[in-house]
Amino acid sequence: MNTVTGSRKLTIARAMAEATAQEMRQDPSVFVMGEDVGPLGGVFGNTRGLHEEFGAERVRDTPISETAFIGAAVGAASDGMRPIVELMFVDFFGVCMDAIYNLMAKNTYFSGGKVKVPMVLMTSTGGGYSDAGQHSQCLYGTFAHLPGMKVVVPSNAYDAKGLMTAAIRDDNPVVFMYHKSLQGMGWLGTEKGATVATPEEPYTVEIGKASVVKEGQDLTLVSLGAGVHHCLRAAKALGDEGFDAEVVDLRSLVPLDRETVRASVAKTGRLIVVDEDYHSFGVSGEIIASVVEHDHRLKAAPARVTYPDIPIPFAPTMEQWALPNADKIVAAFHQMLRNH
């Protein structure tokens, strides 16, 4: 659990921009590229202030051609640069997946390790504000399933800064997936718990290490990104009922810290996984498999609170019906108790 002292609090957007600026100041090979990352500062604020400090040569606005600028970033990374490239919405992966998965993720392997691809692909995830099926998905499982890329998903500004710094310095391609509702952009609505004390000096958060953000004895709640905050609210509600829930923030999907999850479930005997990505073939099933494959003596069958296997609706009432929330987590726990 992070125990950062000090009064300086940042949003995730500011934390990402600060980490990027600090790495750009000390490493001239780092540059940023994508749609609206220049004078606008990014649609979600991730590059605010960078264009003013570093200029258009190192903070490059691109045409709306994800295939072109992600392919260009792969080439730049392979030639010794350290590009940070933004895919504005993760939903747009379909038009550039060849550049992402057949180039970015595989070129180090194809070259026998001779060609490194040290690039960061940052992309927004998540719904909740009626942007419908092409701008609201999470798709965590899609990227985590494909070998060759590290995948991180911060839930708060401290982790966002440390993970971004670690990602920029990593010699492997890293997919940095940030949830829109955590960014600190007022028009999206902001999760207050994501804006936390964040040191000004550079630091890293280890990629591949989960965090126990709340300890407990009766139940393990595992999630990532915005789901961590749903879990914390559910844990508080369950605490009012006399149950003590532990909350595990995965922070990273690749590498995946299975050991921290297993240790928690070995203690509590119960597991609920919360994921805004689709229900089937995803992170929730992988976490559950990671536990039950190791034959923990569970007090109840694991459960998951996830997005149903449907396209994301535009209508607010329909979208809210589908999204995970604290009430659904509490209900899943009570169902677990009834079943056992």
Side-chain angles (χ1 to χ4, degrees), residues 181-332:
S181 71
L182 307 183
Q183 288 302 98
M185 306 295 287
W187 59 278
L188 285 171
T190 298
E191 174 60 60
K192 291 183 179 179
T195 301
V196 298
T198 306
E200 188 169 356
E201 66 274 9
Y203 62 91
T204 60
V205 167
E206 180 182 354
I207 297 175
K209 184 63 177 174
S211 174
V212 178
V213 296
K214 179 191 176 299
E215 296 187 352
Q217 300 293 325
D218 299 326
L219 164 70
T220 297
L221 300 174
V222 177
S223 194
L224 68 170
V228 173
H229 301 280
H230 299 318
C231 289
L232 288 170
R233 281 189 286 272
K236 184 179 185 303
L238 289 170
D240 293 341
E241 299 177 13
F243 299 104
D244 188 16
E246 182 153 298
V247 178
V248 177
D249 181 352
L250 291 174
R251 299 199 292 193
S252 171
L253 289 176
V254 182
L256 180 61
D257 185 359
R258 304 173 200 270
E259 290 306 315
T260 292
V261 175
R262 290 169 184 152
S264 177
V265 179
K267 176 175 66 172
T268 67
R270 300 183 180 95
L271 169 65
I272 297 176
V273 187
V274 180
D275 181 17
E276 196 180 317
D277 200 356
Y278 298 116
H279 180 85
S280 299
F281 312 107
V283 173
S284 58
E286 184 64 29
I287 295 297
I288 290 171
S290 297
V291 170
V292 300
E293 285 174 345
H294 281 68
D295 195 31
H296 284 302
R297 297 184 178 181
L298 299 177
K299 298 174 184 176
R304 45 185 160 167
V305 176
T306 61
Y307 207 94
D309 297 329
I310 59 172
I312 296 175
F314 170 77
T317 52
M318 293 176 67
E319 184 182 24
Q320 291 302 321
W321 171 85
L323 284 165
N325 58 41
D327 290 341
K328 291 181 180 181
I329 300 167
V330 171

Side-chain angles (χ1 to χ4, degrees), residues 9-334:
K9 293 186 176 181
L10 295 183
T11 64
I12 287 184
R14 291 305 307 151
M16 291 172 66
E18 182 169 274
T20 302
Q22 289 174 341
E23 292 305 295
M24 291 179 75
R25 289 175 196 137
Q26 64 90 30
D27 186 348
S29 70
V30 179
F31 71 98
V32 182
M33 184 164 55
E35 297 161 4
D36 294 324
V37 300
L40 182 64
V43 171
F44 303 108
N46 309 330
T47 58
R48 193 171 296 164
L50 298 181
H51 186 267
E52 290 80 358
E53 180 174 353
F54 299 102
E57 184 73 14
R58 295 184 68 191
V59 184
R60 297 190 170 208
D61 273 336
T62 66
I64 303 176
S65 179
E66 290 82 3
T67 299
F69 65 74
I70 292 175
V74 174
S78 302
D79 201 36
M81 302 293 284
R82 290 185 175 272
I84 305 164
V85 60
E86 177 161 274
L87 179 63
M88 189 183 292
F89 292 84
V90 72
D91 317 69
F92 299 169
F93 82 104
V95 298
C96 53
M97 199 55 164
D98 187 56
I100 293 171
Y101 186 55
N102 280 324
L103 302 178
M104 184 184 87
K106 294 179 179 177
N107 279 358
T108 298
Y109 177 77
F110 287 161
S111 67
K114 294 179 181 178
V115 177
K116 295 181 174 62
V117 188
M119 63 178 281
V120 179
L121 174 66
M122 59 182 179
T123 188
S124 73
T125 66
Y129 61 104
S130 293
D131 222 357
Q134 293 181 342
H135 296 78
S136 305
Q137 298 172 98
C138 281
L139 302 182
Y140 300 134
T142 301
F143 289 85
H145 178 68
L146 302 171
M149 308 176 285
K150 294 185 178 182
V151 181
V152 299
V153 185
S155 69
N156 61 76
Y158 178 89
D159 288 349
K161 180 175 177 179
L163 288 169
M164 178 58 80
T165 302
I168 294 169
R169 296 178 183 179
D170 202 302
D171 283 339
N172 300 283
V174 180
V175 182
F176 190 107
M177 307 181 80
Y178 57 89
H179 196 287
K180 304 181 197 75
S181 71
L182 307 183
Q183 288 302 98
M185 306 295 287
W187 59 278
L188 285 171
T190 298
E191 174 60 60
K192 291 183 179 179
T195 301
V196 298
T198 306
E200 188 169 356
E201 66 274 9
Y203 62 91
T204 60
V205 167
E206 180 182 354
I207 297 175
K209 184 63 177 174
S211 174
V212 178
V213 296
K214 179 191 176 299
E215 296 187 352
Q217 300 293 325
D218 299 326
L219 164 70
T220 297
L221 300 174
V222 177
S223 194
L224 68 170
V228 173
H229 301 280
H230 299 318
C231 289
L232 288 170
R233 281 189 286 272
K236 184 179 185 303
L238 289 170
D240 293 341
E241 299 177 13
F243 299 104
D244 188 16
E246 182 153 298
V247 178
V248 177
D249 181 352
L250 291 174
R251 299 199 292 193
S252 171
L253 289 176
V254 182
L256 180 61
D257 185 359
R258 304 173 200 270
E259 290 306 315
T260 292
V261 175
R262 290 169 184 152
S264 177
V265 179
K267 176 175 66 172
T268 67
R270 300 183 180 95
L271 169 65
I272 297 176
V273 187
V274 180
D275 181 17
E276 196 180 317
D277 200 356
Y278 298 116
H279 180 85
S280 299
F281 312 107
V283 173
S284 58
E286 184 64 29
I287 295 297
I288 290 171
S290 297
V291 170
V292 300
E293 285 174 345
H294 281 68
D295 195 31
H296 284 302
R297 297 184 178 181
L298 299 177
K299 298 174 184 176
R304 45 185 160 167
V305 176
T306 61
Y307 207 94
D309 297 329
I310 59 172
I312 296 175
F314 170 77
T317 52
M318 293 176 67
E319 184 182 24
Q320 291 302 321
W321 171 85
L323 284 165
N325 58 41
D327 290 341
K328 291 181 180 181
I329 300 167
V330 171
F333 177 66
H334 286 305

